Amino acid sequence: MKATAPSRKKESAAKPSPRSWRVAAAILALLVFPPADTTAQLPQRPTLPTSESGGVPTVAATPSLPMAPAELRLPEERWAPPDTDEAIPLVAPDIPCSLPQVLQAASQRVKELTVNLDRFAAIERIEHREVDKKGHWRAPKERSFEYVVTVSEIRPGMVIAEEWRNGSSSTESFPTHLATLGMVALALVFHPNYVGEHDVTCEGLGQWRGRPAWQLRFQERPNRKFSDFGFRIRQHSFPAKLKGRAWFAVDTHELLRLETDLVEPLPKIRLYRNHLAVEYRPVQFPKRNLELWLPESAEMYLDFRGHRYRHRHSYRDFKLFSVDTREQINEPPQP
């Protein structure tokens, strides 16, 4: 079934041209309208090795679990969380993790999401902040949108996601020269169609907000033809490979949290850091007797062209629609 794009007016026959991407090629995109150029550069941070554990994923008696990532306070001089391999969250000792079983169950959950998530809407709030030369956060710039996303598998092996803000795919409404796209689709890294294009290890039993969770590290394979992430500056595209870490609930295998970093910086465009963290929560849709785990919030940290930025996205008031339903999208009130 073909998705119908939302329109600002019911009587209008014109359809906006949505921003879409093939998940295998570009799950997340960052569109850049270049700021003033500077010469500041930061060195690449070193990486640490990780290891894979094996065994049967059973938790008969949950031990005292280590603190979740968000509970670890950062030193005041840090403007962004540590890199995926710079600080590896602790896991419970002597609890085996079977990567094939965990990954199969987690991938199935993500696949179910694409089946059930025809089209949903939410109120999205975006906060953009920049660090000044003294290391202090400048005043935030904020916007709110009526955010609409469709996710569909148009043919076996190809998942398409499309998104609109206030009925339009234009990026001009973002509060600054940086526009982030594809936040919802990022979880599709673990979709059965694409998870095989990543190297995945199970680091063990961790937790997220007190809930036991399998902690998985992933990284795009070096010989992969397409990348999950990319920058576009004017008409030029710059792909960048991702690595990261995900937490899947032990009992339900729902995705609780997902973090990503660049495998390596992009000195050609002077991008030295990009850290993204997305939190998920259950959203009830009583009319369809359905519960979906959808993004509740996301944070992105950028070290780009001598500037340091933070984007915060939050989502509320979720609505679920069928793909054959046309919905009128009105401009939300400004905060």
Side-chain angles (χ1 to χ4, degrees):
M1 186 178 296
K2 185 177 180 180
T4 303
S7 62
R8 296 286 295 275
K9 296 181 180 180
K10 287 184 176 180
E11 65 273 11
S12 174
K15 297 181 182 179
S17 176
R19 176 74 58 190
S20 64
W21 60 96
R22 196 181 79 173
V23 177
I27 286 181
L28 182 68
L30 180 62
L31 275 61
V32 182
F33 305 91
D37 196 15
T38 67
T39 58
Q41 297 184 8
L42 293 180
Q44 180 184 6
R45 297 188 180 278
T47 59
L48 300 176
T50 59
S51 61
E52 182 177 359
S53 56
V56 180
T58 58
V59 185
T62 302
S64 178
L65 297 174
M67 289 190 297
E71 297 170 347
L72 301 176
R73 290 192 175 184
L74 298 177
E76 293 183 359
E77 64 271 15
R78 295 297 296 264
W79 68 278
D83 179 87
T84 298
D85 296 321
E86 182 184 6
I88 303 174
L90 298 176
V91 295
D94 303 324
I95 301 295
C97 173
S98 172
L99 177 62
Q101 288 183 274
V102 172
L103 200 55
Q104 181 181 10
S107 296
Q108 183 61 34
R109 283 298 191 190
V110 173
K111 182 178 180 180
E112 291 172 2
L113 179 66
T114 64
V115 173
N116 293 316
L117 190 61
D118 296 333
R119 179 170 123 206
F120 82 91
I123 299 299
E124 179 188 41
R125 178 178 173 271
I126 300 177
E127 176 193 274
H128 171 97
R129 301 192 75 174
E130 182 179 352
V131 178
D132 63 20
K133 294 181 179 180
K134 295 183 179 180
H136 303 139
W137 289 105
R138 292 176 176 170
K141 298 179 181 179
E142 302 177 355
R143 283 296 307 272
S144 292
F145 303 93
E146 180 77 16
Y147 180 60
V148 178
V149 175
T150 67
V151 179
S152 58
E153 188 168 7
I154 61 173
R155 67 172 183 260
M158 180 177 283
V159 179
I160 291 293
E162 300 172 329
E163 62 182 29
W164 299 263
R165 288 176 172 85
N166 295 344
S168 171
S169 63
S170 172
T171 58
E172 296 178 359
S173 55
F174 277 79
T176 63
H177 47 262
L178 297 172
T180 49
L181 306 175
M183 205 71 71
V184 171
L186 189 62
L188 298 178
V189 166
F190 288 94
H191 190 281
N193 291 351
Y194 311 115
V195 69
E197 298 175 340
H198 298 76
D199 293 319
V200 185
T201 60
C202 184
E203 296 177 325
L205 177 65
Q207 69 145 321
W208 178 244
R209 298 195 181 281
R211 185 170 181 175
W214 296 118
Q215 185 173 298
L216 303 183
R217 185 197 181 279
F218 64 92
Q219 180 168 324
E220 289 187 61
R221 292 181 173 172
N223 59 349
R224 188 180 183 188
K225 185 176 181 180
F226 298 104
S227 180
D228 291 335
F229 180 87
F231 270 65
R232 193 167 79 234
I233 303 177
R234 295 188 177 95
Q235 302 302 318
H236 302 284
S237 298
F238 303 90
K241 292 190 179 297
L242 293 182
K243 62 181 178 180
R245 184 169 284 110
W247 286 261
F248 287 91
V250 169
D251 52 351
T252 65
H253 293 95
E254 297 286 1
L255 178 59
L256 307 179
R257 181 178 175 86
L258 181 65
E259 296 182 359
T260 66
D261 284 285
L262 299 175
V263 172
E264 56 186 13
L266 300 179
K268 185 174 183 179
I269 60 173
R270 296 171 56 210
L271 172 66
Y272 296 97
R273 186 75 203 281
N274 183 275
H275 177 86
L276 174 64
V278 184
E279 291 190 42
Y280 300 81
R281 70 176 177 91
V283 179
Q284 302 290 337
F285 298 99
K287 291 184 179 180
R288 294 183 57 175
N289 192 28
L290 189 63
E291 177 185 274
L292 298 177
W293 282 72
L294 299 174
E296 178 181 35
S297 62
E299 287 191 335
M300 177 178 283
Y301 296 83
L302 288 166
D303 185 341
F304 178 61
R305 292 190 168 183
H307 296 260
R308 288 172 170 177
Y309 303 103
R310 182 184 69 197
H311 276 191
R312 281 182 172 172
H313 298 245
S314 60
Y315 304 90
R316 60 179 176 84
D317 299 341
F318 289 92
K319 297 177 182 178
L320 192 64
F321 303 97
S322 174
V323 293
D324 58 358
T325 301
R326 178 174 290 275
E327 177 72 10
Q328 182 176 3
I329 305 298
N330 298 317
E331 188 86 12
Q334 296 298 316

